[in-house]
Amino acid sequence: MHTTDPKRFIADFFTSFTEELQHSDEDPAVIVDRYHTPDIVQFADGHRMDRDKLIAHTRPVRKNQPSARMEVHEALAAEDRIAARYTLHVRNRKRDLVMEVCFFGRFTPDGRMREAHMLTRAVGAPA
């Protein structure tokens, strides 16, 4: 994390994690553990997600196979923390979503996520 531009780090983290979930037959728990610490806690719009909930959350990703594109507008890193503002474009079988995300996270030296807080706002369908 310390040798990579924060914008590149956060984009690569989420892109790689999603691609591994979608294109691997590996147990989702193994993939989650590769990218997150065992004590991971994420809050998205106030909803708490621990490791078990995160693993359960991966099942729809595998089933629906959405495509996603992430535009990182800005990102800052200090010690084990990253703050980023990005737009996430998601297309799945049912609809297209565009969300603005404000992300605040902590990572281990090996690049695994330890904690995250995300605030999201739907901004409408792409043109």
Side-chain angles (χ1 to χ4, degrees):
M1 181 174 109
H2 298 290
T3 60
T4 305
D5 173 65
K7 288 171 83 169
R8 171 65 33 217
F9 176 85
I10 202 71
D12 288 350
F13 178 90
F14 284 113
T15 300
S16 297
F17 177 55
T18 302
E19 285 179 1
E20 283 195 41
L21 285 172
Q22 290 179 335
H23 303 294
S24 171
D25 292 331
E26 196 170 20
D27 181 347
V30 173
I31 297 170
V32 166
D33 290 344
R34 190 166 27 254
Y35 286 85
H36 303 83
T37 61
D39 60 344
I40 179 66
V41 177
Q42 293 184 6
F43 292 90
D45 299 325
H47 299 281
R48 184 181 190 278
M49 192 179 321
D50 61 13
R51 179 183 176 273
D52 292 337
K53 288 181 182 177
L54 183 59
I55 293 167
H57 186 70
T58 66
R59 288 183 182 91
V61 173
R62 277 204 163 159
K63 179 182 176 192
N64 296 327
Q65 295 286 311
S67 64
R69 181 174 56 85
M70 183 178 194
E71 294 175 72
V72 182
H73 307 293
E74 54 192 335
L76 303 168
E79 298 177 9
D80 66 343
R81 299 172 190 272
I82 290 183
R85 186 177 62 83
Y86 58 87
T87 302
L88 185 60
H89 303 264
V90 178
R91 171 172 278 171
N92 65 30
R93 287 183 263 153
K94 296 179 183 177
R95 62 185 172 179
D96 293 343
L97 302 170
V98 179
M99 293 182 293
E100 290 181 345
V101 181
C102 292
F103 172 90
F104 305 91
R106 291 178 52 220
F107 290 82
T108 60
D110 65 0
R112 290 179 298 146
M113 185 186 295
R114 171 173 283 141
E115 178 184 357
H117 295 264
M118 292 170 272
L119 301 171
T120 66
R121 179 175 81 92
V123 293

